[in-house]
C-alpha cells in the first residue's frame, strides 16, 4: 500500500508477513516494523538515520499524532526529519520506532509547542487527532505503528522523575529507557496486561455495562492482571468480582496492544459454571446473558437493544469468533 507524506514522494509501506502475526484480527496488532533493538544503543547510527532524507518522523502533540489530509482520505503525518531541525536538536522526546524496507521511522513529542497546527514548522500541515478516533480510517499497519509510538511518548511524559529517588531522569536507548541523573536507576517502558473475557454457557454469553457507558452498550468483562497472578486466574477473578459468576476452562484467544496508555489486552474465552448474576455496582452497573441471535444483530448494527464495541476492539472479535464457532 502506498504511503504519502505532505512533503515527500509516496513511500511504499510493506506489510511484511514475517513481522505480522498471522490471523490476529485485532486493531493495533499489525505493526510491520523491524524494531531493530540493536540500533537503540548506537547513537551514531541513530544520528546518521536522523540525517538521512529517507527517514520519517511522526510528530505527537499532547499524545495525539499528526494526521494529514490526502486526496483519497486521511493518513499519518510522516515528515522528513529536515522539517523538524530545531525540535530534533533540542531536548524533545524522540523515539526510534523501527525499520521497514531500509526506512527508519521515529516519533517526536512536540507537546512543548503552544499551537503547532497554526504556528512554527508544522503549521498548516494537518491536525493532531486522537488515535482512537482516527484509527478506523487508517491502514491497520499505520494504526499499529502509531500505537507503539503513542505508548512510548506517553510513558516518557509521565516518567520524568525517578521512582526510586525522585531526581530527574533522562531519555536513553533511543527512547526505550530512562536513566536517573542521581542514583543511575534504569527505568523501562511498561506494558500492563489486561484480561478481557467472554464467558459463555449453553449458547449465551455474559456481557457487562460500565456505570458511565450509554444504555444498551455492553462488552466482555475486563480487568488488570494483578502481581503474582496468571492470566487464567485473573480472568476468573475479574468475572467473579464483577458478576459473582464462576468460570472455568479459560482459553486464551489473542492479544492486542491498547495504547491507553500502555495496556496489552489479552482476549480469553471461558466456560461459565454458574448463571446467577450479582453485579458489584462499581465497576459494572449491569450484566446480562445474551444469546447468539442478539449478539449477531448487534455486531451487524441492526439491534435496537444491544450495542457492542467496534471492530477495532478485541471484545468485538471475541464476539465475532463466538458467533462463527456456532456455525
Ligand atoms: Zn534515582
Amino acid at each position: 500500500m502506498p504511503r504519502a507524506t505532505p512533503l515527500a514522494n509516496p513511500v511504499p509501506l510493506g506489510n511484511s508477513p514475517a513481522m505480522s502475526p498471522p490471523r490476529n484480527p485485532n486493531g493495533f496488532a499489525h505493526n510491520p516494523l523491524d524494531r531493530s533493538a540493536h540500533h537503540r544503543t548506537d547513537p551514531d547510527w541513530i544520528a546518521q538515520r536522523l540525517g538521512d532524507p529517507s527517514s520519517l518522523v511522526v510528530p505527537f502533540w499532547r499524545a495525539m499524532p499528526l494526521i494529514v489530509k490526502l486526496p483519497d482520505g486521511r493518513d499519518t503525518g510522516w515528515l522528513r526529519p529536515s522539517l523538524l531541525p530545531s525540535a530534533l536538536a533540542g531536548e524533545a522526546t524522540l523515539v526510534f520506532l523501527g525499520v521497514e524496507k531500509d526506512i527508519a521511522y521515529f516519533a517526536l513529542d512536540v507537546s512543548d509547542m503552544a499551537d503547532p497546527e497554526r504556528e512554527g514548522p508544522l503549521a498548516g500541515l494537518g491536525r493532531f487527532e486522537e488515535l482512537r478516533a482516527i484509527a478506523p480510517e487508517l491502514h491497520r499497519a499505520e494504526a499499529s505503528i502509531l500505537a507503539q509510538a503513542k505508548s512510548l511518548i506517553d510513558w516518557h511524559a509521565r516518567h520524568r522523575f525517578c521512582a526510586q529517588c525522585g531526581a530527574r531522569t533522562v531519555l536513553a536507548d533511543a527512547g526505550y529507557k530512562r536513566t536517573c541523573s542521581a542514583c543511575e536507576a534504569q527505568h523501562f517502558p511498561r506494558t500492563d496486561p489486561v484480561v478481557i473475557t467472554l464467558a459463555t454457557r449453553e449458547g449465551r454469553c455474559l456481557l457487562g455495562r460500565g456505570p458511565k457507558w450509554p444504555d444498551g452498550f455492553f462488552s466482555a468483562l475486563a480487568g488488570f492482571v494483578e502481581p503474582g497472578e496468571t492470566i487464567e486466574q485473573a480472568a476468573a477473578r475479574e468475572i467473579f468480582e464483577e458478576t459473582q459468576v464462576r468460570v472455568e476452562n479459560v482459553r486464551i484467544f489473542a492479544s492486542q496492544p491498547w495504547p491507553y496508555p500502555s495496556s496489552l489486552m489479552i482476549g480469553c474465552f471461558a466456560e461459565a459454571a454458574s448463571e446467577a448474576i450479582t453485579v458489584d455496582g462499581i465497576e459494572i452497573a449491569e450484566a446480562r446473558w445474551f444469546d447468539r441471535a442478539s449478539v449477531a444483530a448487534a455486531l451487524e448494527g441492526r439491534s435496537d437493544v444491544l450495542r457492542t464495541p467496534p471492530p477495532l476492539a478485541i471484545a468485538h472479535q471475541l464476539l465475532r469468533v463466538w458467533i462463527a464457532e456456532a456455525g
Side-chain angles (χ1 to χ4, degrees):
M1 151 191 184
R3 169 190 296 165
T5 76
L7 301 182
N9 296 324
V11 178
L13 169 66
N15 193 358
S16 65
M19 298 303 293
S20 298
R23 295 192 297 165
N24 187 323
N26 300 311
F28 305 130
H30 299 269
N31 191 333
L33 300 183
D34 173 353
R35 294 183 180 225
S36 299
H38 58 291
H39 288 315
R40 295 171 187 166
T41 51
D42 183 350
D44 292 340
W45 187 90
I46 296 289
Q48 186 262 323
R49 285 308 182 113
L50 285 172
D52 184 332
S54 77
S55 296
L56 293 170
V57 185
V58 58
F60 274 70
W61 184 67
R62 301 181 186 173
M64 296 181 285
L66 179 67
I67 299 296
V68 294
K69 203 160 186 240
L70 301 171
D72 58 347
R74 295 191 290 171
D75 209 345
T76 310
W78 291 109
L79 308 176
R80 300 300 184 198
S82 56
L83 191 72
L84 301 155
S86 55
L88 291 178
E91 296 292 307
T93 296
L94 175 74
V95 299
F96 168 56
L97 300 171
V99 175
E100 165 76 353
K101 294 188 175 164
D102 207 34
I103 295 170
Y105 291 85
F106 296 86
L108 176 71
D109 189 355
V110 297
S111 296
D112 288 346
M113 296 180 175
D115 190 0
E117 289 180 3
R118 292 179 186 78
E119 299 167 4
L122 308 179
L125 291 182
R127 304 198 57 178
F128 290 90
E129 301 195 28
E130 292 286 353
L131 178 56
R132 198 188 311 222
I134 189 72
E137 288 184 45
L138 300 177
H139 186 278
R140 63 185 189 175
E142 291 282 344
S144 303
I145 295 170
L146 290 179
Q148 174 194 5
K150 180 182 180 300
S151 277
L152 279 168
I153 290 211
D154 186 82
W155 177 75
H156 284 286
R158 291 182 298 112
H159 291 80
R160 300 200 181 282
F161 297 92
C162 178
Q164 188 159 278
C165 78
R168 282 198 172 276
T169 57
V170 292
L171 183 149
D173 291 1
Y176 290 81
K177 185 165 85 174
R178 293 189 77 85
T179 305
C180 177
S181 56
C183 77
E184 298 185 359
Q186 299 181 337
H187 303 281
F188 298 93
R190 56 182 295 166
T191 294
D192 301 318
V194 174
V195 284
I196 177 160
T197 307
L198 189 66
T200 63
R201 182 176 169 85
E202 295 174 358
R204 296 187 300 165
C205 70
L206 179 62
L207 301 178
R209 185 172 70 77
K212 293 180 180 170
W213 298 2
D215 277 351
F217 188 93
F218 284 79
S219 184
L221 300 172
F224 286 101
V225 179
E226 295 190 348
E229 189 174 47
T230 66
I231 290 167
E232 292 85 349
Q233 289 167 338
R237 175 184 53 76
E238 280 291 340
I239 289 177
F240 185 74
E241 284 176 2
E242 294 177 358
T243 65
Q244 303 285 297
V245 171
R246 297 271 183 199
V247 302
E248 55 195 17
N249 296 332
V250 175
R251 174 164 63 93
I252 297 172
F253 157 64
S255 58
Q256 174 188 37
W258 192 248
Y260 308 101
S262 55
S263 293
L264 177 68
M265 306 299 289
I266 303 164
C268 300
F269 292 104
E271 294 169 18
S274 65
E275 250 176 62
I277 294 171
T278 306
V279 295
D280 65 1
I282 300 165
E283 285 190 72
I284 292 293
E286 186 182 4
R288 280 197 240 155
W289 294 97
F290 291 91
D291 63 22
R292 281 195 166 94
S294 306
V295 171
L299 290 176
E300 292 165 17
R302 54 179 175 81
S303 171
D304 294 331
V305 290
L306 174 62
R307 282 192 291 151
T308 49
L312 183 73
I314 193 169
H316 182 101
Q317 303 302 335
L318 285 165
L319 290 167
R320 214 164 253 298
V321 168
W322 176 61
I323 297 286
E325 280 181 350

